[in-house]
Amino acid sequence: MNAITKVAKLPKAKEAIKKLSSPSLITKALNPAQFSDPPKLARYLEKRVLAHAPGRFVVIEKPYGISCVGQLQENGGVFENSVRDDRKTEKWAGTIKARSGEQVGVTITDGLKLLRKILKEPQLSFCTGLKRYLSGAIVLPCNEHDSNILKSCIRRMSSDIEPPFMYNALAITVGSPEKSSGLITGFATFRNVGKHKEYIFEERKVSKRAKSGKYAVEGHMSYRVLDTKNGVSLVDFSVDKFARHLPRLMLTHMLSPILGDRIYWRRLMEVDGAPELISAGSRVPEFTQWIPRVLPEKFAMNNKEIMTSLPIYCHVYNTIFEDVGGYEEQGLVAASEPPAHFMAALELLDLLPAYRKFKKQSSEKTTEDSTSETSKTSGDVIF
């Protein structure tokens, strides 16, 4: 009888040990690195310089949740203003809530002053980076000439309509696209929804008038699902641009919004026990938010907390800048590993084996490419 009792208790003991380890993993998955002041951020970035070509470029690892600039860039930045009509720009400004300085927090540009001294690059400047909700490698030019080369490269590559695209990323998504891989193309635009405006994605070719008038931004994405577990998936995707929330809109359109994307995940409702996309701005009180049953358990949260407390799990693992050196076959591939909170979420959701397999296959492909004289090695920095 005692022996039987002991055997019966073993599974409970293992479960207890498992539960003891979960809180620390959950805490890690929910808490990306944070920075309270520019010097702290600059010191962090100093330790994460991925490549440095003196006088030309510095490649650093941009943390999740940190803006590069924190405000609209003059004339719209690299792509200039996305709204052509100045009157519309002024009208729309009142419908978009600007972030306060407190909400923006410390930015990459705030840390540049100290970083210039640390790296002995007096002309180090911001040119182009990644959105606040993304982590990944960004390239900082050390002179105006190379800054213009980067901008020219980005404009050209963002207009490519076929893979390979400029940005390669991993995302943990809610649910999974219907197809395990594919290519999606369409456009995002800003439209009236009730008393405010929202980004809308349409999977069709944009009209010449809308494109030339900058009322719509066209984009392309290739993707493949690496694995699906616990109601979520690990998706590898490549896009030509991140403007107008394009990748987030595209994944949501495929019924697989990025985990933690509280804006677009809210468009996915539960209808007859399955997820269904509800048009933006629609009020459907009889439907509830689509939340995979296992998520609240995995994160030890209720449904409301799940929808409001998760970071956006999306990481750009490499960005390709072709012809950066200004010569044929020369370029730069800026690559970085996912941050600690992303890795913790993979482990928590049982997607870590899929990531390791992906990394191994990518490494093997890199080795194969390095043996070819005509191929650039993915992950190498070439100037």
Side-chain angles (χ1 to χ4, degrees), residues 26 113 132 134 154 241 283:
I26 292 172
K113 185 176 181 180
R132 180 189 182 103
L134 298 169
I154 294 164
K241 60 175 73 73
R283 294 183 178 180

Side-chain angles (χ1 to χ4, degrees), residues 85-261:
D85 192 326
D86 290 337
R87 289 172 298 176
K88 279 193 172 72
T89 303
E90 184 178 347
K91 181 182 177 181
W92 288 11
T95 69
I96 305 172
K97 294 182 180 179
R99 291 179 181 271
S100 65
E102 185 178 345
Q103 287 177 314
V104 170
V106 63
T107 67
I108 296 293
T109 49
D110 291 335
L112 282 182
K113 185 176 181 180
L114 179 56
L115 206 56
R116 290 187 188 109
K117 294 180 180 179
I118 294 172
L119 300 177
K120 297 180 181 178
E121 292 288 1
Q123 296 184 59
L124 187 69
S125 63
F126 172 77
C127 171
T128 183
L130 297 171
K131 301 292 186 181
R132 180 189 182 103
Y133 63 87
L134 298 169
S135 54
I138 63 173
V139 181
L140 303 175
C142 300
N143 62 75
E144 187 176 354
H145 176 69
D146 282 320
S147 178
N148 290 331
I149 288 176
L150 279 178
K151 290 177 182 178
S152 177
C153 170
I154 294 164
R155 291 191 192 103
R156 181 176 56 78
M157 292 192 68
S158 65
S159 64
D160 289 345
I161 61 174
E162 294 181 356
F165 297 128
M166 186 172 187
Y167 302 99
N168 301 290
L170 291 170
I172 301 175
T173 68
V174 179
S176 178
E178 183 179 354
K179 297 180 180 179
S180 60
S181 64
L183 177 67
I184 181 172
T185 184
F187 65 91
T189 187
F190 216 38
R191 291 185 181 170
N192 285 313
V193 179
K195 295 181 179 180
H196 65 285
K197 287 184 176 288
E198 287 186 357
Y199 288 111
I200 305 295
F201 175 75
E202 293 193 24
E203 191 178 356
R204 63 183 176 87
K205 192 172 182 179
V206 64
S207 69
K208 288 184 178 180
R209 180 180 178 277
K211 193 172 182 180
S212 63
K214 298 185 179 180
Y215 307 123
V217 174
E218 189 175 28
H220 314 272
M221 172 197 285
S222 63
Y223 70 92
R224 62 189 179 111
V225 179
L226 301 179
D227 196 10
T228 300
K229 292 279 181 66
N230 298 305
V232 296
S233 300
L234 180 59
V235 178
D236 173 28
F237 70 88
S238 300
V239 290
D240 55 350
K241 60 175 73 73
F242 277 92
R244 296 275 181 94
H245 296 187
L246 264 170
R248 294 164 67 180
L249 287 164
M250 288 171 163
L251 287 166
T252 303
H253 180 74
M254 293 188 285
L255 301 182
S256 55
I258 302 174
L259 182 64
D261 189 348

Side-chain angles (χ1 to χ4, degrees), residues 35-104:
F35 306 90
S36 56
D37 57 73
K40 182 179 178 182
L41 176 60
R43 295 295 180 187
Y44 176 91
L45 296 177
E46 176 197 4
K47 296 176 182 177
R48 285 160 177 79
V49 171
L50 304 171
H52 185 187
R56 295 209 62 194
F57 302 101
V58 174
V59 183
I60 62 172
E61 181 183 310
K62 188 195 89 67
Y64 168 85
I66 297 292
S67 293
C68 287
V69 179
Q71 60 188 16
L72 293 176
Q73 296 182 63
E74 187 177 354
N75 298 321
V78 174
F79 299 102
E80 301 179 341
N81 289 323
S82 60
V83 181
R84 190 171 187 173
D85 192 326
D86 290 337
R87 289 172 298 176
K88 279 193 172 72
T89 303
E90 184 178 347
K91 181 182 177 181
W92 288 11
T95 69
I96 305 172
K97 294 182 180 179
R99 291 179 181 271
S100 65
E102 185 178 345
Q103 287 177 314
V104 170

Side-chain angles (χ1 to χ4, degrees), residues 16-31 298-300 348:
I17 293 171
K18 184 178 179 181
K19 286 183 177 180
L20 285 173
S21 63
S22 294
S24 60
L25 192 60
I26 292 172
T27 300
K28 197 172 182 179
L30 294 176
N31 293 280
K298 285 288 184 179
F299 284 97
L348 189 68

Side-chain angles (χ1 to χ4, degrees), residues 279-352:
S279 61
S282 298
R283 294 183 178 180
V284 193
E286 64 269 27
F287 298 141
T288 58
Q289 199 70 50
W290 171 259
I291 300 175
R293 302 289 187 265
V294 76
L295 279 185
E297 178 185 341
K298 285 288 184 179
F299 284 97
M301 292 179 169
N302 58 40
N303 284 354
K304 183 178 180 181
E305 291 170 332
I306 282 288
M307 292 300 303
T308 58
S309 302
L310 302 183
I312 296 178
Y313 294 102
C314 189
H315 172 74
V316 179
Y317 61 84
N318 74 36
T319 303
I320 302 169
F321 298 87
E322 292 181 347
D323 303 329
V324 163
Y327 303 98
E328 193 172 350
E329 297 300 333
Q330 286 192 328
L332 163 64
V333 179
S336 70
E337 299 290 329
H341 78 280
F342 189 99
M343 295 299 294
L346 290 177
E347 184 176 353
L348 189 68
L349 298 168
D350 303 322
L351 292 171
L352 195 55

